[in-house]
Amino acid sequence: MALDIDYVRSQFPAFSAPNLQGQAFFENAGGSYTCQPVINRLTRFYTERKVQPYAPYEASTLAGAEMDEARHRLAKIMGVDTDELSFGPSTTQNTYVLAQAFRQFLSPGEAIIVTNQDHEANSGPWRRLADAGIEVREWQIDPQTGHLNPADLENLLDENVRLVCFPHCSNVVGELNPVTEITALAHAAGAFVCVDGVSYAPHGLPNVGELGPDIYLFSAYKTYGPHQGLMVIRRALGELLPNQGHFFNGDSLYKRFTPAGPDHAQVAACAGMADYIATLAHHHGGPLTEGATQGAFVHDLMRAHEVELLQPLLDMVKDRNDLRLIGPSDASKRAPTVALALDRPAEGVAAELAEHGIMAGGGDFYALRALNAMGVSTSDGVLRLSFTHYTSKKEMTQLMEALDRVLSK
Ligand SMILES: Cc1ncc(COP(=O)(O)O)c(C=O)c1O
């Protein structure tokens, strides 16, 4: 069944906002529009439940229950236990806390592997472990294509490696990395795996339990939700790593890597992401029961729509000689996050596109290592055109016409 795009867009108030009419949004990899169920829950929390949660009066009980509901429902969709999912202020901060835990856990002389394809969030905090005598090995992308080759990882793995960090998909290369295959390689060598799923999750929440990594991170504010970082930490690793929370919270797996008090309203509102997935499944005749099967149905629905809309854009840009398409030109191999290296600063081109009602961005998108490795000028940066399942064919046409006009000037 094809995605009912009108129904999808009716779930996002931004599409009815007067100031956004005629504006086609192509900076979704920076942050998505928020779906109605999340906005409803956020509003309800702030108006009816904004008290300290988990106390024995009704508003508080409801507040705490809604926070638990968010964790429980999203964990189920991702195929993990409720206490294996936790919330933090952002993915960058979550990674930072995890890196602190590994700093205490690892011994000098042990090694970790990071990539130069990642956003800095899943790179810098890990690389700083070098200060503690940890050997940091870099799994490098192909300088032409930006591709991360699993065979190159095999050459870096040995019995010293304790952790492998890589992205499910990079926010500039866009290529989908084979998480299951890479995880199997790392696990076979005795290493844990940390996957940055920030650029992937908006295109359909994955079944993390099935994919197999020990850590999977993503950001709700790019996935139709509020400004939260979500992290799955599988039990075996989570119980092994030293507790980073208050000492008296150390027995709760979901509290061990979130030292700050959580943003109650935003955690609760994340249940709206599960509402949205359920509503899409119901509307399209998918599974009625919530969980990983329903999540997979919605994931595939989103993905099919995105691939269909993405291919014409890739076909349009792949052979132009005034730009360089970063990453694969086959839509089935990538997320709809398309970075283009131009012969001038990308931010200026984004500004010209804005005159045609296109909202896009230009810059390095905190993926400086990847751009440097591919020989892309980081001062010019890349023009990034990123969309999601709620993008319409009409908006794609608007984008392609505007892009052609601006580039051909
Ligand atoms: C691939 C990727 N990883 C990590 C991050 C950082 O996420 P956060 O803003 O939640 O720290 C981003 C943000 O743009 C990203 O695109």
Side-chain angles (χ1 to χ4, degrees), residues 22 61 86 195 255 281 327 331 378 381 386 388:
T61 309
S86 46
V195 176
K255 292 182 178 168
T378 48
S386 58
T388 77

Side-chain angles (χ1 to χ4, degrees), residues 29-30 89-93 119 121-122 169-171 196 198-199 219 221-222 227-229 365 384:
S90 71
T91 293
T92 307
Q93 290 204 41
H119 179 284
N122 194 37
C169 114
S170 136
N171 66 334
D196 177 350
V198 173
S199 283
S219 303
Y221 73 95
K222 300 178 195 268
H227 206 114
Q228 284 289 289
F365 301 100
R384 191 172 69 174

Side-chain angles (χ1 to χ4, degrees), residues 135-314:
E135 188 195 341
V136 178
R137 301 180 186 171
E138 190 179 68
W139 180 13
Q140 295 181 346
I141 55 176
D142 180 304
Q144 291 306 316
T145 62
H147 176 68
L148 262 185
N149 187 349
D152 295 338
L153 172 65
E154 278 191 271
N155 294 333
L156 293 173
L157 284 166
D158 61 27
E159 65 286 353
N160 280 338
V161 177
R162 305 300 310 280
L163 176 70
V164 177
C165 307
F166 66 95
H168 197 159
C169 114
S170 136
N171 66 334
V172 291
V173 178
E175 181 168 12
L176 308 181
N177 289 318
V179 175
T180 312
E181 181 191 345
I182 297 168
T183 300
L185 287 175
H187 281 173
F192 293 106
V193 168
C194 172
V195 176
D196 177 350
V198 173
S199 283
Y200 185 89
H203 310 293
L205 285 189
N207 183 333
V208 176
E210 214 168 78
L211 284 176
D214 304 284
I215 301 170
Y216 192 94
L217 308 149
F218 73 99
S219 303
Y221 73 95
K222 300 178 195 268
T223 314
Y224 328 119
H227 206 114
Q228 284 289 289
L230 276 71
M231 57 183 157
V232 169
I233 305 170
R234 301 314 304 273
R235 186 175 315 284
L237 175 62
E239 288 178 352
L240 207 57
L241 288 174
N243 172 32
Q244 302 298 304
H246 295 311
F247 74 88
F248 44 80
N249 283 332
D251 290 338
S252 283
L253 179 55
Y254 77 97
K255 292 182 178 168
R256 287 170 67 84
F257 305 101
T258 47
D263 184 320
H264 303 146
Q266 292 195 35
V267 171
C270 281
M273 294 158 66
D275 294 339
Y276 177 57
I277 289 169
T279 206
L280 284 190
H282 296 174
H283 181 80
H284 293 87
L288 296 178
T289 311
E290 204 158 292
T293 310
Q294 188 188 73
F297 174 87
V298 171
H299 168 284
D300 293 352
L301 203 60
M302 290 176 167
R303 179 93 192 113
H305 175 81
E306 291 177 354
V307 168
E308 186 192 340
L309 266 60
L310 176 57
Q311 195 57 58
L313 173 64
L314 296 174

Side-chain angles (χ1 to χ4, degrees), residues 12-180:
F12 289 84
F15 289 117
S16 322
N19 68 311
L20 293 173
Q21 296 311 300
Q23 300 284 310
F25 185 34
F26 284 95
E27 222 310 62
N28 290 277
S32 70
Y33 284 160
T34 313
C35 65
Q36 188 71 64
V38 167
I39 297 170
N40 291 348
R41 282 181 184 267
L42 208 48
T43 307
R44 182 176 63 183
F45 199 99
Y46 275 120
T47 40
E48 299 175 18
R49 301 178 179 179
K50 183 61 190 69
V51 295
Q52 183 66 7
Y54 302 108
Y57 38 92
E58 197 192 16
S60 174
T61 309
L62 289 171
E66 193 172 12
M67 292 170 68
D68 292 345
E69 177 192 345
R71 233 161 15 84
H72 176 68
R73 292 176 64 193
L74 290 169
K76 222 163 135 194
I77 292 168
M78 289 187 281
V80 297
D81 289 342
T82 302
D83 63 349
E84 291 179 311
L85 178 65
S86 46
F87 294 89
S90 71
T91 293
T92 307
Q93 290 204 41
N94 287 343
T95 318
Y96 198 86
V97 173
L98 286 166
Q100 281 303 111
F102 270 93
R103 183 181 285 266
Q104 293 165 9
F105 178 60
L106 300 183
S107 308
E110 292 187 314
I112 65 165
I113 295 177
V114 294
T115 79
N116 60 356
Q117 195 193 54
D118 273 280
H119 179 284
E120 196 58 17
N122 194 37
S123 197
W126 300 119
R127 289 173 191 261
R128 288 184 192 163
L129 295 185
D131 311 339
I134 308 301
E135 188 195 341
V136 178
R137 301 180 186 171
E138 190 179 68
W139 180 13
Q140 295 181 346
I141 55 176
D142 180 304
Q144 291 306 316
T145 62
H147 176 68
L148 262 185
N149 187 349
D152 295 338
L153 172 65
E154 278 191 271
N155 294 333
L156 293 173
L157 284 166
D158 61 27
E159 65 286 353
N160 280 338
V161 177
R162 305 300 310 280
L163 176 70
V164 177
C165 307
F166 66 95
H168 197 159
C169 114
S170 136
N171 66 334
V172 291
V173 178
E175 181 168 12
L176 308 181
N177 289 318
V179 175
T180 312

